[in-house]
C-alpha cells in the first residue's frame, strides 16, 4: 500500500508551498475568467469521450490550452496532467493536475455549477494512489469565487477579484460541518457517464437514501468537495473519479479539517472517494464500500 511517507520524499519549504498555492489560484482564476467571459452563445459539443454523453466543449479545450501555456511559462520543469489530454512528463517531481471545466454538462446547459480545478501534486500523478496534492485551487466562475489551500496553510475562499492567498480582509476560512449523525447528514454524490455504472450507482443509492437526510447531485466533483470543506454539505461520496476531479478538492477538504478516504485500505480514487468531517467519514464510507458490508 502507498503511504503518505512514500509520497513525500522531500516536502517543499513553506515558502515554496505558498508560491505553489498562489500559482494554483492565479491559474484557476485565469481559466475561470476565460470560460465565463468568452463563453460563446452556442457552446456546442466539440467531441465525446467515454460515452455519447461524456462531452468536451470547445471551451474545455481552450481552458486546458490556456492552463498548459501558463504552467509551461511559469514552471517549465514541472509535469502536467489534464482531463482533455495534456500529458507532460516533468523533471522536478511536481505535476500540475488540471480539470479545465469540471461540470462540463452543467456548463453546456448553462447551469451555474461548474469549476476549474488546479492542483500541484508530488509523486506519480498517472498512478492511482501514487500522488499527493501539495496545493490546489477550485475556481467557481458563476459565483466569482476561488477556494484554495496548501498543506499546513488552512483552506480559504476569496473573491476572484482579490485572490491573494491569506489576504486578511476578504478571505473566509473554511471548516467542515460538525454534524456527526448519518441520519441528519446532507450527502452530495455524483454518477459516471457509463449506463452500467449508473445502474450500479442507483442500486447503491436505494440503500443510502433512507439512511441520510437527503442527497444532492450538483454535477461537479470539485465543487462537491469544496462544499464539504465549507460545511454547506455534510459529506460527499462518489465512485469513478479521476485525479483531476479530486486533487485540488482533496487538499482543500483536509485543510478545512475534513478527511478524504477511498475504499477501506485504499487511497481515494476511481473505486470510491468519500469526504466528510472526522466523525462522519467512516459511516459514509461504510454506506458505499462493499468491503465493509
Ligand atoms: C464530472 C464530475 C461530476 C461527476 C461526473 C464527471 P466532468 O466531471 O465532476 O460531478 O459526477 O462523473 O466526472 O466530466 O464534468 O469534468
Amino acid at each position: 500500500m502507498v503511504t503518505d511517507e512514500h509520497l513525500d520524499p522531500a516536502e517543499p519549504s513553506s515558502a515554496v508551498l505558498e508560491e505553489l498555492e498562489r500559482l494554483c489560484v492565479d491559474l484557476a482564476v485565469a481559466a475561470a475568467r476565460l470560460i465565463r467571459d468568452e463563453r460563446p452563445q452556442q457552446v456546442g459539443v466539440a467531441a465525446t469521450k467515454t460515452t455519447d454523453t461524456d462531452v468536451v466543449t470547445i471551451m474545455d479545450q481552450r481552458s486546458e490550452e490556456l492552463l498548459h501555456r501558463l504552467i509551461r511559462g511559469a514552471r517549465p520543469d514541472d509535469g502536467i496532467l489534464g482531463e482533455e489530454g495534456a500529458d507532460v512528463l516533468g523533471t522536478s517531481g511536481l505535476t500540475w493536475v488540471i480539470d479545465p471545466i469540471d461540470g462540463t454538462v452543467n456548463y453546456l446547459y448553462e447551469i451555474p455549477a461548474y469549476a476549474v480545478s488546479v492542483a500541484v501534486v508530488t509523486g506519480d500523478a498517472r498512478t492511482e494512489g501514487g500522488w499527493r496534492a501539495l496545493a490546489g485551487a477550485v475556481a467557481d466562475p458563476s459565483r466569482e469565487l476561488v477556494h484554495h489551500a496548501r498543506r499546513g496553510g488552512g483552506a480559504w475562499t476569496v473573491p476572484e477579484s482579490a485572490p491573494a492567498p491569506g489576504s486578511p480582509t476578504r478571505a473566509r476560512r473554511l471548516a467542515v460541518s460538525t454534524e456527526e449523525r448519518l441520519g441528519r447528514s446532507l450527502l452530495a454524490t455524483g454518477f459516471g457517464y457509463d449506463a452500467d455504472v449508473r445502474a450500479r450507482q442507483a442500486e447503491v443509492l436505494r440503500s443510502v437514501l433512507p439512511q441520510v437526510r437527503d442527497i444532492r447531485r450538483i454535477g461537479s466533483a470539485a465543487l462537491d468537495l469544496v462544499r464539504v470543506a465549507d460545511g454547506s454539505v455534510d459529506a460527499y461520496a462518489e465512485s469513478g473519479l479521476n485525479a483531476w476531479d479530486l486533487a485540488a478538492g482533496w487538499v482543500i477538504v483536509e485543510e478545512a479539517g475534513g478527511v478524504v478516504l477511498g475504499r477501506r485500505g485504499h487511497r481515494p480514487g476511481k473505486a470510491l472517494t468519500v469526504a466528510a468531517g472526522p466523525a462522519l467519514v467512516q459511516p459514509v464510507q461504510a454506506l458505499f464500500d462493499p468491503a465493509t458490508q
Side-chain angles (χ1 to χ4, degrees), residues 54 83 99 101-104 190-193 217 219-221 238 245:
D54 183 3
E83 181 178 21
D99 193 338
I101 303 182
D102 183 56
T104 300
F191 309 113
Y193 289 107
R217 198 299 193 237
S220 158
E238 181 166 354
D245 296 309

Side-chain angles (χ1 to χ4, degrees), residues 44-94:
V45 172
T48 58
K49 294 185 287 185
T50 56
T51 69
D52 285 353
T53 52
D54 183 3
V55 298
V56 183
T57 72
I58 184 78
M59 296 308 283
D60 290 85
Q61 294 169 335
R62 284 188 60 197
S63 176
E64 185 155 302
E65 279 159 22
L66 174 70
L67 291 168
H68 189 280
R69 183 163 46 76
L70 294 175
I71 294 166
R72 296 297 286 161
R75 309 252 333 161
D77 298 335
D78 295 353
I80 307 175
L81 180 68
E83 181 178 21
E84 309 313 340
D87 196 356
V88 175
L89 284 173
T91 53
S92 66
L94 298 181

Side-chain angles (χ1 to χ4, degrees), residues 166-177:
S167 147
T169 46
R170 300 171 76 196
R172 180 167 63 93
R173 189 162 189 162
L174 306 185
V176 296
S177 121

